[in-house]
Amino acid sequence: MTRVLYVLPELTAHQTTAAQVRAAALLPLIAEQTDLMVLTFSGAGDSPVGVVGLPEERIVRVPRADISAASLALGTVLARPRAFRRFDTPAGREALAAAIRAQQPDIVHFDGFATLGLMEVVARVRPQSRIIAHVHDAQSARMERYTSMGSLLNRVQKTREYRKSLQFESRGLGIAALTLVDSDEDRDYLRRQIGSDTVETLPLGFNPESFTPDGPKAELVQPAIVYSGSMKADQSVDAAVFLAHEVMPLVWRTAPEAQLYIVGGGPTEKVRALEGERIHVTGFVDDLAAYLRASSVYACPLRLGSGMRTRVVEALACGTSMVATSMAVRGLGNPADGVAWVQADTAPEFAQAVLRTLASTDATMGGRAAVFAYGNYSWSSIASRLVDYYSKVTEQ
Protein backbone atom coordinates (compact mmCIF):
# COMPACT_ATOMS: atom_id res chain seq x y z
CA MET A 1 0.00 0.00 0.00
CA THR A 2 1.33 3.43 -0.94
CA ARG A 3 2.59 5.46 2.03
CA VAL A 4 1.29 9.02 1.76
CA LEU A 5 2.16 11.97 3.99
CA TYR A 6 -0.50 14.63 3.37
CA VAL A 7 0.44 18.19 4.38
CA LEU A 8 -2.41 20.68 4.62
CA PRO A 9 -2.98 24.08 6.24
CA GLU A 10 -5.76 23.05 8.61
CA LEU A 11 -8.44 20.59 9.64
CA THR A 12 -11.65 22.36 10.59
CA ALA A 13 -15.07 21.20 11.74
CA HIS A 14 -16.86 23.95 9.78
CA GLN A 15 -15.65 24.13 6.20
CA THR A 16 -16.19 27.55 4.64
CA THR A 17 -13.67 27.46 1.78
CA ALA A 18 -13.26 25.12 -1.17
CA ALA A 19 -9.91 23.94 0.19
CA GLN A 20 -11.45 23.00 3.55
CA VAL A 21 -14.39 21.21 1.91
CA ARG A 22 -12.03 19.29 -0.37
CA ALA A 23 -9.76 18.13 2.46
CA ALA A 24 -12.68 17.05 4.66
CA ALA A 25 -14.15 15.02 1.80
CA LEU A 26 -11.01 13.49 0.31
CA LEU A 27 -8.95 12.52 3.35
CA PRO A 28 -11.31 9.78 4.68
CA LEU A 29 -11.50 8.30 1.15
CA ILE A 30 -7.72 8.42 0.71
CA ALA A 31 -7.27 6.78 4.14
CA GLU A 32 -9.24 3.76 2.88
CA GLN A 33 -6.89 3.24 -0.07
CA THR A 34 -3.43 4.25 1.21
CA ASP A 35 -1.22 4.16 4.27
CA LEU A 36 -2.01 7.76 5.20
CA MET A 37 -0.43 10.17 7.65
CA VAL A 38 -1.60 13.79 7.92
CA LEU A 39 0.44 16.82 9.00
CA THR A 40 -1.70 19.86 9.71
CA PHE A 41 -1.41 23.25 11.38
CA SER A 42 -3.60 24.67 14.13
CA GLY A 43 -3.85 27.97 15.97
CA ALA A 44 -3.88 28.54 19.69
CA GLY A 45 -7.24 27.56 21.11
CA ASP A 46 -8.33 25.55 18.07
CA SER A 47 -10.23 22.39 18.96
CA PRO A 48 -8.58 19.29 17.43
CA VAL A 49 -10.49 17.94 14.43
CA GLY A 50 -9.83 14.41 13.23
CA VAL A 51 -10.18 12.53 9.96
CA VAL A 52 -12.86 9.86 9.74
CA GLY A 53 -11.22 6.44 9.66
CA LEU A 54 -7.76 7.74 10.57
CA PRO A 55 -6.39 7.09 14.09
CA GLU A 56 -5.39 10.21 16.00
CA GLU A 57 -1.78 9.01 16.19
CA ARG A 58 -1.63 9.29 12.40
CA ILE A 59 -2.22 13.06 12.60
CA VAL A 60 0.70 15.39 13.33
CA ARG A 61 -0.43 18.79 14.60
CA VAL A 62 1.90 21.77 14.28
CA PRO A 63 1.32 25.16 15.93
CA ARG A 64 0.43 27.67 13.24
CA ALA A 65 2.52 30.84 13.26
CA ASP A 66 0.66 33.98 14.28
CA ILE A 67 1.66 36.26 11.42
CA SER A 68 1.06 39.95 12.05
CA ALA A 69 0.16 42.44 9.34
CA ALA A 70 3.64 43.94 9.70
CA SER A 71 5.26 40.53 9.21
CA LEU A 72 3.17 39.90 6.11
CA ALA A 73 4.18 43.29 4.77
CA LEU A 74 7.82 42.35 5.38
CA GLY A 75 7.17 39.16 3.45
CA THR A 76 6.42 41.25 0.38
CA VAL A 77 10.01 42.54 0.43
CA LEU A 78 11.56 39.07 0.73
CA ALA A 79 12.38 36.92 -2.31
CA ARG A 80 9.92 34.09 -1.65
CA PRO A 81 6.12 34.37 -1.89
CA ARG A 82 4.87 35.81 1.37
CA ALA A 83 2.16 33.12 1.58
CA PHE A 84 4.95 30.72 2.61
CA ARG A 85 5.59 32.58 5.87
CA ARG A 86 2.57 31.11 7.64
CA PHE A 87 3.71 27.48 7.36
CA ASP A 88 7.41 27.49 6.45
CA THR A 89 8.51 28.01 10.04
CA PRO A 90 11.14 26.29 12.20
CA ALA A 91 8.35 24.33 13.93
CA GLY A 92 6.84 23.35 10.59
CA ARG A 93 10.16 22.22 9.13
CA GLU A 94 11.07 20.23 12.25
CA ALA A 95 7.68 18.49 12.41
CA LEU A 96 7.73 17.63 8.71
CA ALA A 97 11.26 16.23 8.89
CA ALA A 98 10.29 14.08 11.90
CA ALA A 99 7.15 12.79 10.14
CA ILE A 100 9.15 11.89 7.03
CA ARG A 101 11.71 9.98 9.07
CA ALA A 102 8.96 8.15 10.98
CA GLN A 103 6.77 7.18 8.01
CA GLN A 104 9.31 6.96 5.17
CA PRO A 105 6.56 8.07 2.75
CA ASP A 106 6.47 7.14 -0.91
CA ILE A 107 4.62 10.40 -1.57
CA VAL A 108 4.47 13.74 0.23
CA HIS A 109 1.33 15.54 -0.91
CA PHE A 110 1.35 19.31 -0.26
CA ASP A 111 -2.19 20.73 -0.29
CA GLY A 112 -2.24 24.45 -1.18
CA PHE A 113 0.26 26.94 -2.55
CA ALA A 114 1.09 28.31 0.92
CA THR A 115 2.51 24.93 2.04
CA LEU A 116 4.95 24.63 -0.86
CA GLY A 117 7.72 26.48 0.97
CA LEU A 118 8.23 23.21 2.88
CA MET A 119 8.97 21.09 -0.22
CA GLU A 120 12.70 21.64 0.28
CA VAL A 121 12.50 19.64 3.53
CA VAL A 122 11.49 16.52 1.59
CA ALA A 123 14.37 16.94 -0.86
CA ARG A 124 16.79 17.24 2.07
CA VAL A 125 15.47 14.52 4.42
CA ARG A 126 14.28 11.84 1.98
CA PRO A 127 14.92 12.74 -1.65
CA GLN A 128 13.44 9.42 -2.89
CA SER A 129 9.98 10.49 -1.65
CA ARG A 130 7.94 11.81 -4.55
CA ILE A 131 6.43 15.27 -4.12
CA ILE A 132 2.95 16.24 -5.27
CA ALA A 133 2.32 19.98 -5.34
CA HIS A 134 -1.46 20.40 -5.19
CA VAL A 135 -1.75 24.12 -5.94
CA HIS A 136 -5.38 24.01 -7.13
CA ASP A 137 -4.92 27.03 -9.39
CA ALA A 138 -2.18 29.03 -11.06
CA GLN A 139 -1.15 31.45 -8.31
CA SER A 140 0.48 33.91 -10.70
CA ALA A 141 -2.58 34.05 -12.97
CA ARG A 142 -4.76 34.78 -9.95
CA MET A 143 -2.36 37.40 -8.56
CA GLU A 144 -2.08 39.16 -11.89
CA ARG A 145 -5.79 39.99 -11.79
CA TYR A 146 -5.28 41.89 -8.54
CA THR A 147 -2.35 44.02 -9.73
CA SER A 148 -4.65 46.75 -11.05
CA MET A 149 -7.06 46.80 -8.10
CA GLY A 150 -7.17 48.84 -4.92
CA SER A 151 -4.81 51.50 -3.59
CA LEU A 152 -1.38 52.27 -5.01
CA LEU A 153 0.25 50.39 -2.11
CA ASN A 154 -1.99 47.38 -2.71
CA ARG A 155 -1.16 47.38 -6.43
CA VAL A 156 2.58 47.55 -5.67
CA GLN A 157 2.31 44.65 -3.20
CA LYS A 158 0.21 42.52 -5.54
CA THR A 159 2.56 43.18 -8.45
CA ARG A 160 5.52 42.12 -6.33
CA GLU A 161 3.72 38.93 -5.24
CA TYR A 162 2.65 38.26 -8.81
CA ARG A 163 6.28 38.37 -9.99
CA LYS A 164 7.45 36.15 -7.12
CA SER A 165 4.75 33.55 -7.75
CA LEU A 166 5.56 33.62 -11.46
CA GLN A 167 9.21 32.94 -10.70
CA PHE A 168 8.35 30.17 -8.24
CA GLU A 169 6.07 28.44 -10.73
CA SER A 170 8.71 28.48 -13.46
CA ARG A 171 11.59 27.39 -11.18
CA GLY A 172 10.38 26.06 -7.81
CA LEU A 173 7.65 23.69 -9.01
CA GLY A 174 10.24 21.65 -10.90
CA ILE A 175 11.06 19.82 -7.66
CA ALA A 176 7.60 18.19 -7.69
CA ALA A 177 7.03 14.92 -9.53
CA LEU A 178 3.47 16.07 -10.20
CA THR A 179 1.57 19.34 -9.88
CA LEU A 180 -2.22 19.18 -9.53
CA VAL A 181 -4.71 21.93 -10.37
CA ASP A 182 -8.50 22.12 -10.45
CA SER A 183 -9.06 23.12 -14.07
CA ASP A 184 -7.71 22.34 -17.53
CA GLU A 185 -7.12 26.07 -18.09
CA ASP A 186 -4.73 26.24 -15.11
CA ARG A 187 -3.13 22.96 -16.17
CA ASP A 188 -2.28 24.32 -19.61
CA TYR A 189 -1.04 27.61 -18.14
CA LEU A 190 1.32 25.90 -15.67
CA ARG A 191 2.59 23.44 -18.25
CA ARG A 192 3.77 26.45 -20.23
CA GLN A 193 5.28 28.01 -17.11
CA ILE A 194 7.15 24.90 -16.02
CA GLY A 195 8.03 23.78 -19.53
CA SER A 196 6.87 20.25 -18.79
CA ASP A 197 3.74 18.08 -18.89
CA THR A 198 4.02 17.13 -15.19
CA VAL A 199 0.83 19.09 -14.43
CA GLU A 200 -2.54 17.32 -14.30
CA THR A 201 -6.12 18.18 -13.42
CA LEU A 202 -7.96 17.01 -10.31
CA PRO A 203 -11.35 18.74 -10.20
CA LEU A 204 -13.37 19.71 -7.17
CA GLY A 205 -16.39 17.67 -6.17
CA PHE A 206 -19.43 17.62 -3.94
CA ASN A 207 -20.94 15.46 -1.24
CA PRO A 208 -23.84 13.50 -2.80
CA GLU A 209 -25.30 12.83 0.64
CA SER A 210 -25.76 16.55 1.30
CA PHE A 211 -26.33 18.07 -2.11
CA THR A 212 -29.23 16.40 -3.89
CA PRO A 213 -32.28 17.69 -5.76
CA ASP A 214 -34.53 16.09 -3.13
CA GLY A 215 -34.67 17.46 0.37
CA PRO A 216 -35.88 20.38 2.47
CA LYS A 217 -36.12 23.85 0.98
CA ALA A 218 -35.46 27.12 2.77
CA GLU A 219 -38.43 29.47 3.07
CA LEU A 220 -37.44 32.18 0.60
CA VAL A 221 -39.53 34.94 -0.92
CA GLN A 222 -39.98 34.07 -4.59
CA PRO A 223 -38.68 34.50 -7.17
CA ALA A 224 -35.43 33.93 -5.30
CA ILE A 225 -32.00 34.46 -6.84
CA VAL A 226 -29.33 32.85 -4.67
CA TYR A 227 -25.59 33.46 -4.66
CA SER A 228 -23.31 31.60 -2.23
CA GLY A 229 -19.67 31.48 -1.15
CA SER A 230 -17.25 32.50 1.54
CA MET A 231 -18.23 36.15 1.85
CA LYS A 232 -14.89 37.28 3.23
CA ALA A 233 -12.93 36.25 0.12
CA ASP A 234 -12.07 39.06 -2.30
CA GLN A 235 -13.56 37.27 -5.30
CA SER A 236 -16.82 36.56 -3.46
CA VAL A 237 -17.14 40.14 -2.25
CA ASP A 238 -16.49 41.47 -5.75
CA ALA A 239 -19.14 39.15 -7.22
CA ALA A 240 -21.71 40.07 -4.55
CA VAL A 241 -21.22 43.79 -5.16
CA PHE A 242 -21.35 43.31 -8.94
CA LEU A 243 -24.55 41.29 -8.63
CA ALA A 244 -26.24 43.75 -6.27
CA HIS A 245 -25.16 47.01 -7.91
CA GLU A 246 -24.92 46.19 -11.61
CA VAL A 247 -27.00 43.09 -12.38
CA MET A 248 -30.03 43.25 -10.09
CA PRO A 249 -31.07 46.82 -11.02
CA LEU A 250 -31.40 45.56 -14.61
CA VAL A 251 -33.35 42.50 -13.44
CA TRP A 252 -35.68 44.64 -11.32
CA ARG A 253 -36.73 46.70 -14.34
CA THR A 254 -38.60 43.63 -15.61
CA ALA A 255 -39.02 41.60 -12.41
CA PRO A 256 -39.31 44.10 -9.53
CA GLU A 257 -40.48 41.34 -7.18
CA ALA A 258 -37.22 39.33 -7.52
CA GLN A 259 -35.28 38.79 -4.30
CA LEU A 260 -31.50 38.35 -4.00
CA TYR A 261 -30.11 36.09 -1.27
CA ILE A 262 -26.36 36.35 -0.58
CA VAL A 263 -25.52 33.22 1.40
CA GLY A 264 -22.21 32.42 3.10
CA GLY A 265 -20.11 32.80 6.21
CA GLY A 266 -17.98 35.78 7.20
CA PRO A 267 -19.64 38.56 5.21
CA THR A 268 -17.50 41.70 5.22
CA GLU A 269 -18.89 45.14 6.00
CA LYS A 270 -18.98 45.76 2.26
CA VAL A 271 -21.26 42.74 1.80
CA ARG A 272 -23.38 43.56 4.86
CA ALA A 273 -23.94 47.05 3.44
CA LEU A 274 -25.72 45.53 0.43
CA GLU A 275 -28.66 44.36 2.55
CA GLY A 276 -31.96 46.03 1.74
CA GLU A 277 -35.63 45.46 1.04
CA ARG A 278 -34.90 43.03 -1.83
CA ILE A 279 -31.37 41.93 -0.87
CA HIS A 280 -30.88 39.48 2.00
CA VAL A 281 -27.41 38.77 3.48
CA THR A 282 -27.77 35.59 5.52
CA GLY A 283 -24.27 34.91 6.79
CA PHE A 284 -23.44 31.27 7.50
CA VAL A 285 -26.33 28.83 7.14
CA ASP A 286 -26.44 25.27 8.46
CA ASP A 287 -28.07 23.82 5.34
CA LEU A 288 -26.78 25.48 2.16
CA ALA A 289 -28.47 22.82 0.02
CA ALA A 290 -31.89 23.97 1.28
CA TYR A 291 -31.20 27.45 -0.09
CA LEU A 292 -29.97 26.05 -3.41
CA ARG A 293 -33.10 23.89 -3.83
CA ALA A 294 -35.34 26.85 -3.00
CA SER A 295 -33.75 29.16 -5.55
CA SER A 296 -35.46 30.08 -8.80
CA VAL A 297 -32.01 30.88 -10.20
CA TYR A 298 -28.56 30.28 -8.79
CA ALA A 299 -26.37 33.22 -9.85
CA CYS A 300 -22.58 32.99 -9.79
CA PRO A 301 -21.06 36.14 -11.33
CA LEU A 302 -17.43 35.57 -10.29
CA ARG A 303 -14.93 37.79 -12.08
CA LEU A 304 -11.77 37.24 -10.01
CA GLY A 305 -9.67 34.26 -8.95
CA SER A 306 -8.85 31.10 -10.80
CA GLY A 307 -9.23 27.36 -10.41
CA MET A 308 -12.57 25.61 -10.01
CA ARG A 309 -15.50 26.50 -7.73
CA THR A 310 -17.09 24.04 -5.33
CA ARG A 311 -20.13 26.28 -5.05
CA VAL A 312 -21.17 25.80 -8.68
CA VAL A 313 -20.86 22.00 -8.51
CA GLU A 314 -22.99 21.95 -5.35
CA ALA A 315 -25.62 24.13 -7.02
CA LEU A 316 -25.73 21.89 -10.09
CA ALA A 317 -26.01 18.78 -7.91
CA CYS A 318 -29.11 20.26 -6.24
CA GLY A 319 -30.78 20.55 -9.63
CA THR A 320 -30.57 24.33 -9.63
CA SER A 321 -31.02 26.41 -12.79
CA MET A 322 -27.74 28.33 -12.91
CA VAL A 323 -26.46 31.48 -14.59
CA ALA A 324 -22.70 31.90 -14.29
CA THR A 325 -19.76 33.79 -15.73
CA SER A 326 -17.05 32.01 -17.68
CA MET A 327 -14.74 32.52 -14.67
CA ALA A 328 -17.23 30.79 -12.37
CA VAL A 329 -17.46 27.62 -14.48
CA ARG A 330 -13.75 27.15 -15.14
CA GLY A 331 -12.91 23.48 -14.84
CA LEU A 332 -16.41 22.23 -15.67
CA GLY A 333 -15.65 21.36 -19.26
CA ASN A 334 -17.67 22.86 -22.07
CA PRO A 335 -21.19 21.43 -22.37
CA ALA A 336 -23.45 23.25 -24.81
CA ASP A 337 -24.70 26.51 -23.36
CA GLY A 338 -28.04 25.89 -21.66
CA VAL A 339 -27.54 22.16 -21.21
CA ALA A 340 -26.49 22.43 -17.55
CA TRP A 341 -26.21 26.21 -17.09
CA VAL A 342 -26.41 29.52 -18.95
CA GLN A 343 -23.19 31.49 -19.30
CA ALA A 344 -22.99 35.31 -19.31
CA ASP A 345 -20.18 37.73 -18.48
CA THR A 346 -21.31 41.37 -18.72
CA ALA A 347 -23.95 42.87 -16.44
CA PRO A 348 -26.55 43.28 -19.24
CA GLU A 349 -25.93 39.73 -20.51
CA PHE A 350 -26.12 38.33 -16.98
CA ALA A 351 -29.35 40.17 -16.19
CA GLN A 352 -30.97 38.99 -19.43
CA ALA A 353 -29.89 35.40 -18.72
CA VAL A 354 -31.41 35.59 -15.23
CA LEU A 355 -34.66 36.98 -16.65
CA ARG A 356 -34.83 34.31 -19.37
CA THR A 357 -34.25 31.59 -16.78
CA LEU A 358 -36.92 33.02 -14.47
CA ALA A 359 -39.39 33.09 -17.35
CA SER A 360 -38.41 29.72 -18.81
CA THR A 361 -40.97 26.95 -19.01
CA ASP A 362 -38.18 24.37 -19.42
CA ALA A 363 -38.56 22.31 -16.26
CA THR A 364 -35.75 19.93 -17.23
CA MET A 365 -32.74 22.25 -16.96
CA GLY A 366 -32.25 21.57 -13.25
CA GLY A 367 -32.46 17.84 -13.87
CA ARG A 368 -29.80 18.09 -16.56
CA ALA A 369 -27.62 20.06 -14.15
CA ALA A 370 -27.87 17.34 -11.49
CA VAL A 371 -27.12 14.57 -13.98
CA PHE A 372 -24.06 16.50 -15.15
CA ALA A 373 -22.77 16.97 -11.58
CA TYR A 374 -23.39 13.40 -10.45
CA GLY A 375 -21.81 12.01 -13.60
CA ASN A 376 -18.56 13.92 -13.18
CA TYR A 377 -17.89 15.31 -9.72
CA SER A 378 -18.66 12.97 -6.82
CA TRP A 379 -15.84 12.96 -4.25
CA SER A 380 -15.48 9.18 -4.44
CA SER A 381 -14.65 9.31 -8.16
CA ILE A 382 -12.21 12.16 -7.59
CA ALA A 383 -10.50 10.28 -4.74
CA SER A 384 -10.05 7.26 -7.02
CA ARG A 385 -8.51 9.52 -9.63
CA LEU A 386 -6.10 10.92 -7.05
CA VAL A 387 -5.04 7.45 -5.91
CA ASP A 388 -4.39 6.59 -9.57
CA TYR A 389 -2.06 9.60 -9.73
CA TYR A 390 -0.29 8.29 -6.62
CA SER A 391 0.29 4.97 -8.35
CA LYS A 392 1.62 6.57 -11.51
CA VAL A 393 3.98 8.84 -9.57
CA THR A 394 5.44 5.99 -7.53
CA GLU A 395 5.99 3.95 -10.71
CA GLN A 396 8.07 6.69 -12.36
Side-chain angles (χ1 to χ4, degrees):
M1 187 173 282
T2 305
R3 299 186 301 276
V4 177
L5 175 58
Y6 198 105
V7 181
L8 78 161
E10 60 191 339
L11 286 170
T12 177
H14 299 288
Q15 297 88 39
T16 59
T17 68
Q20 293 167 350
V21 170
R22 176 178 46 241
L26 282 181
L27 286 174
L29 297 170
I30 298 170
E32 294 174 356
Q33 303 176 65
T34 68
D35 179 5
L36 179 67
M37 177 178 284
V38 171
L39 186 146
T40 187
F41 295 80
S42 57
D46 288 354
S47 299
V49 175
V51 175
V52 175
L54 190 67
E56 176 62 26
E57 60 267 23
R58 303 290 292 175
I59 302 176
V60 178
R61 303 183 190 276
V62 186
R64 184 172 58 242
D66 185 12
I67 305 296
S68 66
S71 180
L72 278 177
L74 174 63
T76 301
V77 180
L78 301 178
R80 307 177 83 208
R82 73 178 189 176
F84 291 176
R85 289 175 65 80
R86 193 171 300 278
F87 305 110
D88 187 10
T89 62
R93 286 180 166 252
E94 182 179 343
L96 178 57
I100 292 171
R101 293 188 183 102
Q103 192 198 21
Q104 298 289 296
D106 302 304
I107 290 172
V108 183
H109 183 150
F110 290 93
D111 188 334
F113 182 83
T115 67
L116 301 188
L118 292 166
M119 290 196 301
E120 298 170 358
V121 176
V122 182
R124 174 174 54 83
V125 176
R126 194 173 190 271
Q128 62 268 46
S129 293
R130 312 293 281 176
I131 295 173
I132 290 182
H134 199 165
V135 295
H136 306 293
D137 62 9
Q139 176 83 352
S140 63
R142 176 156 53 89
M143 294 300 299
E144 185 178 21
R145 297 186 182 99
Y146 292 104
T147 58
S148 59
M149 297 176 59
S151 65
L152 176 60
L153 177 59
N154 182 75
R155 295 197 302 271
V156 169
Q157 290 177 333
K158 296 299 185 185
T159 299
R160 170 73 173 159
E161 289 304 312
Y162 159 66
R163 290 171 178 166
K164 288 193 290 185
S165 59
L166 196 66
Q167 183 179 55
F168 178 81
E169 287 166 354
S170 60
R171 299 180 185 179
L173 280 178
I175 193 175
L178 178 65
T179 297
L180 292 175
V181 292
D182 298 342
S183 71
D184 291 346
E185 294 90 341
D186 286 307
R187 177 200 63 195
D188 295 342
Y189 176 91
L190 283 180
R191 283 181 175 179
R192 293 192 297 270
Q193 289 293 96
I194 299 172
S196 137
D197 62 357
T198 57
V199 185
E200 296 292 350
T201 303
L202 188 73
L204 294 174
F206 72 97
N207 182 354
E209 295 180 1
S210 300
F211 295 93
T212 67
D214 300 319
K217 295 181 179 181
E219 294 184 3
L220 308 183
V221 179
Q222 299 295 334
I225 299 164
V226 172
Y227 166 60
S228 65
S230 173
M231 291 303 154
K232 59 185 176 182
D234 290 343
Q235 61 266 30
S236 294
V237 174
D238 174 80
V241 171
F242 172 70
L243 188 57
H245 285 174
E246 299 186 45
V247 175
M248 290 307 299
L250 300 178
V251 172
W252 286 324
R253 290 178 185 176
T254 302
E257 72 282 7
Q259 305 288 311
L260 173 62
Y261 290 84
I262 299 173
V263 182
T268 64
E269 290 184 11
K270 198 170 186 179
V271 175
R272 286 287 186 196
L274 300 174
E275 192 151 17
E277 184 179 349
R278 294 178 290 189
I279 300 179
H280 313 270
V281 179
T282 69
F284 175 80
V285 297
D286 289 325
D287 189 359
L288 172 59
Y291 280 77
L292 299 177
R293 295 186 199 103
S295 66
S296 303
V297 178
Y298 179 77
C300 195
L302 289 168
R303 304 186 295 176
L304 301 176
S306 58
M308 186 181 170
R309 321 295 179 163
T310 302
R311 69 189 86 181
V312 297
V313 180
E314 292 171 343
L316 293 172
C318 285
T320 305
S321 297
M322 183 172 77
V323 178
T325 56
S326 54
M327 178 65 69
V329 295
R330 281 174 65 117
L332 291 185
N334 190 31
D337 190 47
V339 171
W341 63 83
V342 179
Q343 189 168 306
D345 286 308
T346 67
E349 291 170 348
F350 206 98
Q352 284 301 312
V354 168
L355 288 168
R356 287 197 308 271
T357 305
L358 286 175
S360 175
T361 58
D362 180 5
T364 65
M365 183 176 176
R368 295 195 300 270
V371 168
F372 178 81
Y374 273 81
N376 294 278
Y377 299 109
S378 70
W379 282 120
S380 58
S381 65
I382 292 169
S384 296
R385 188 167 169 180
L386 176 57
V387 172
D388 286 342
Y389 281 139
Y390 288 163
S391 298
K392 292 176 182 177
V393 165
T394 56
E395 291 169 1
Q396 290 176 357

